[in-house]
């Protein structure tokens, strides 16, 4: 790609970013606003807050001959007006069903290419009310710019608290665990009276090694031959336009209800949300297919994990990082109707606890970067695509603020991130 500009080279694109570029994965983030769109105010906010805060928002991807054709990020001048889209929708469709009008328009974005001669992001403004908001703004950007965690962090860092406009929105309290997912227990004293504790400490390392070997073998088998059964969640590839079209639907849950279940079942918020998603997709499957309610279908999911070492969330918000820093866990995902709805949460708690005693999540990003570095972007992307096509669903999380915020002068009612370009369905939780 060649574009005319008078910019200077910043840095080469990371292996993960090159993989996202090759696969064509993009992020779509829907934001419901609590007020009608004041376009001049929002535009000024984009220019002063977002574009200046994240280098990728004023950079383009170019091929540099001095680096043997590897893409690099290059600074360029940004005209914010080129990144603002105000679509013209049928007034009758908007009046009859505004939610469906928003969903139809956002789904159409998955079929539209992005202009690669300018930074790969754009804002779409839908200035009509829905059941959850007064207006809707859709941010679409290429995944090579950053992951959902870095993008939502950018938006929070560019916002102000509704309670106090002089400060950033407050973030949830930091998690108890601030280190890696697997944290071995402390070694007990070397004395005869503590021999059982010492044996348990040694045994924990055997369990760690065994789980890591099993998880690694499953990942390799998935890339080579092990594939999930075909269900309605995996669309048959016909190499046509319909095979690339994605639909984006969001639902809001009461966080107080989620915390109540978390406390009662002694699990994590992530366990509750995975269980709720499993229950919803199971009910959807049996309602759409009419299969026997006693049928059980074993599928697998890829749970994306933020690999950034963060001590507190508030300090992370104040230092927005660039790029993608992701790892993943491959977890079972069963389609089944349970008599007890809480059994979905218990199942999620079991397999997530099991995954915490494995180092596979630490090896995944390292191996991925090595594949791209030593075998080339084509080979690395082929392997990633094989893994994605052999699994069914992607889970991802993004941490939002603990209070209402105002972005670019507009109160935000909700944010709903998602992605397209991957072969599986995606479930993103904020």
């Amino acid at each position: 790609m060649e574009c005319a500009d008078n910019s200077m080279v910043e840095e080469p694109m990371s292996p993960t970013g090159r993989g996202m570029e090759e696969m064509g994965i993009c992020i779509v983030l829907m934001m419901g606003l609590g007020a009608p769109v004041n376009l001049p105010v929002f535009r000024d906010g984009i220019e002063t807050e977002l574009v200046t805060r994240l280098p990728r928002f004023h950079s383009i991807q170019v091929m540099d001959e001095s680096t043997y054709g590897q893409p690099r990020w290059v600074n360029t001048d940004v005209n914010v007006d080129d990144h603002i889209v105000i679509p013209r929708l049928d007034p009758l469709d908007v009046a009859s069903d505004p939610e469906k009008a928003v969903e139809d328009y956002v789904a159409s974005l998955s079929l539209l290419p992005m202009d690669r001669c300018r930074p790969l992001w754009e804002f779409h403004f839908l200035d009509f009310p829905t059941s959850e908001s007064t207006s809707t703004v859709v941010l679409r950007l290429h995944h090579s710019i950053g992951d959902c965690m870095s993008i939502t962090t950018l938006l929070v860092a560019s916002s102000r608290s509704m309670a106090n406009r002089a400060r950033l929105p407050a973030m949830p309290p930091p998690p108890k665990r601030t280190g890696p997912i697997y944290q071995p227990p402390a070694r007990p004293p070397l004395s005869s009276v503590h021999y059982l504790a010492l044996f348990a400490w040694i045994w924990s390392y055997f369990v760690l090694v065994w789980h890591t070997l099993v998880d690694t073998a499953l990942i390799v088998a998935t890339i080579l031959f092990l594939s999930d059964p075909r269900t309605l969640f995996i669309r048959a590839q016909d190499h046509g336009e319909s095979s690339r079209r994605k639909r984006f639907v969001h639902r809001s849950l009461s966080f107080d209800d989620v915390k109540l279940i978390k406390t009662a079942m002694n699990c994590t918020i992530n366990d509750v949300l995975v269980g709720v998603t499993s229950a919803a997709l199971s009910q959807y499957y049996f309602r759409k297919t009419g299969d026997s309610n006693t049928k059980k279908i074993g599928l697998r999911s890829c749970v994306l994990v933020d690999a950034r070492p963060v001590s507190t969330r508030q300090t992370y918000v104040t230092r927005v990082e660039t790029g993608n820093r992701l790892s993943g866990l491959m977890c079972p995902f069963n389609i089944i109707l349970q008599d007890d709805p809480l059994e979905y949460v218990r199942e999620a708690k079991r397999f997530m606890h099991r995954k915490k005693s494995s180092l596979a999540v630490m090896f995944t990003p390292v191996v991925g970067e090595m594949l791209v570095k030593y075998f080339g972007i084509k080979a690395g992307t082929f392997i990633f695509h094989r893994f994605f096509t052999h699994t069914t669903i992607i889970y991802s999380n993004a941490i939002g603020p603990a209070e209402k915020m105002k972005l670019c002068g507009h109160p935000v009612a909700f944010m709903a991130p998602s992605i397209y370009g991957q072969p599986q369905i995606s479930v993103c939780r904020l």
Side-chain angles (χ1 to χ4, degrees):
M1 180 186 66
E2 295 182 359
C3 299
D5 64 84
N6 54 358
S7 52
M8 296 179 62
V9 173
E10 273 194 344
E11 59 180 329
M13 189 181 297
S14 67
T16 303
R18 293 172 61 194
M20 296 295 183
E21 165 71 16
E22 186 71 18
M23 296 180 67
I25 299 179
C26 294
I27 296 174
V28 173
L29 196 151
M30 300 172 58
M31 292 177 285
L33 304 181
V37 175
N38 187 331
L39 192 57
V41 173
F42 210 111
R43 182 206 176 280
D44 291 343
I46 294 173
E47 187 170 33
T48 58
E49 292 288 344
L50 301 179
V51 176
T52 59
R53 192 179 295 272
L54 191 66
R56 296 293 175 265
F57 267 59
H58 53 81
S59 301
I60 60 174
Q61 302 170 7
V62 299
M63 303 299 292
D64 192 349
E65 295 181 358
S66 63
T67 56
Y68 306 99
Q70 295 183 3
R72 299 180 68 89
W73 290 108
V74 175
N75 280 333
T76 188
D77 296 330
V78 176
N79 183 358
V80 176
D81 294 329
D82 293 337
H83 299 264
I84 292 178
V85 180
I86 304 177
R88 296 182 178 178
L89 304 182
D90 189 337
L92 296 179
D93 293 340
V94 172
S96 61
D97 194 342
E99 280 78 14
K100 186 176 184 299
V102 172
E103 290 180 10
D104 289 342
Y105 178 76
V106 178
S108 70
L109 296 181
S110 63
L111 304 178
L112 301 177
M114 304 188 75
D115 186 355
R116 296 185 174 275
C117 285
R118 60 191 184 199
L120 299 178
W121 59 270
E122 56 196 23
F123 281 88
H124 300 252
F125 293 91
L126 304 174
D127 196 9
F128 55 84
T130 62
S131 60
E132 290 189 88
S133 61
T134 305
S135 56
T136 305
V137 177
V138 182
L139 170 61
R140 182 174 71 141
L141 70 162
H142 202 281
H143 210 308
S144 59
I145 293 178
D147 51 40
C148 285
M149 187 69 249
S150 63
I151 299 305
T152 54
T153 299
L154 168 68
L155 296 176
V156 173
S158 303
S159 303
R160 291 295 178 267
S161 168
M162 289 285 289
N164 185 356
R165 298 182 182 180
R167 62 173 175 83
L168 294 172
M171 297 297 288
K176 296 180 180 179
R177 176 187 59 80
T178 57
I181 289 180
Y182 176 77
Q183 289 183 305
R187 190 184 71 178
L190 298 178
S191 62
S192 58
V193 296
H194 297 93
Y195 67 92
L196 288 179
L198 180 61
F199 175 78
W201 177 73
I202 296 174
W203 179 252
S204 68
Y205 281 92
F206 280 104
V207 172
L208 173 67
V209 173
W210 173 251
H211 286 171
T212 302
L213 291 175
V214 171
D215 290 345
T216 303
L218 285 175
I219 293 175
V220 174
T222 299
I223 295 173
L224 295 178
F225 61 87
L226 190 60
S227 179
D228 285 357
R230 289 285 172 179
T231 62
L232 58 83
F233 299 120
I234 302 178
R235 176 177 292 170
Q237 299 295 315
D238 57 4
H239 303 289
E241 188 176 84
S242 62
S243 65
R244 296 183 286 112
R245 185 181 179 90
K246 297 289 183 179
R247 193 144 192 102
F248 306 90
V249 180
H250 78 274
R251 291 293 181 268
S252 299
L253 301 176
S254 170
F255 192 59
D256 290 336
D257 292 342
V258 174
K259 289 194 296 184
L260 178 63
I261 299 174
K262 163 191 173 294
T263 303
M265 301 192 66
N266 190 27
C267 61
T268 66
I269 290 176
N270 189 62
D271 297 339
V272 177
L273 295 177
V274 171
V276 169
T277 305
S278 177
L281 292 180
S282 295
Q283 294 182 11
Y284 175 81
Y285 175 85
F286 287 107
R287 185 174 69 248
K288 294 289 288 186
T289 62
D291 287 347
S292 171
N293 291 347
T294 60
K295 185 176 182 181
K296 178 179 179 180
I297 303 175
L299 304 175
R300 291 169 302 162
S301 63
C302 178
V303 181
L304 298 181
V305 179
D306 186 10
R308 296 173 178 87
V310 181
S311 56
T312 65
R313 290 169 177 164
Q314 190 63 58
T315 56
Y316 177 44
V317 168
T318 59
R319 56 176 185 86
V320 177
E321 292 189 2
T322 298
N324 296 269
R325 298 191 63 182
L326 297 173
S327 185
L329 300 170
M330 190 171 65
C331 300
F333 181 85
N334 295 323
I335 299 297
I336 186 174
L337 287 182
Q338 303 280 6
D339 295 331
D340 181 6
L342 293 179
E343 186 59 33
Y344 294 103
V345 181
R346 296 189 186 100
E347 182 179 3
K349 178 182 177 181
R350 283 193 294 269
F351 71 68
M352 290 303 293
H353 180 75
R354 150 70 176 82
K355 293 297 180 178
K356 291 176 182 178
S357 61
S358 172
L359 296 180
V361 68
M362 300 175 62
F363 294 155
T364 302
V366 176
V367 173
E369 292 193 2
M370 288 179 60
L371 288 174
V372 174
K373 182 177 180 180
Y374 294 106
F375 295 97
I377 186 62
K378 296 292 184 181
T381 303
F382 174 78
I383 293 175
F384 291 146
H385 191 267
R386 289 274 297 183
F387 177 81
F388 289 149
T389 54
H390 286 175
T391 54
T392 300
I393 185 172
I394 292 181
Y395 285 106
S396 63
N397 288 313
I399 300 172
E403 61 177 344
K404 292 186 178 298
M405 69 180 195
K406 181 174 284 191
L407 175 66
C408 298
H410 294 69
V412 178
F414 69 86
M415 291 195 298
S418 189
I419 61 174
Y420 70 87
Q422 81 290 350
Q424 315 111 306
I425 61 173
S426 172
V427 177
C428 299
R429 302 181 295 270
L430 179 62

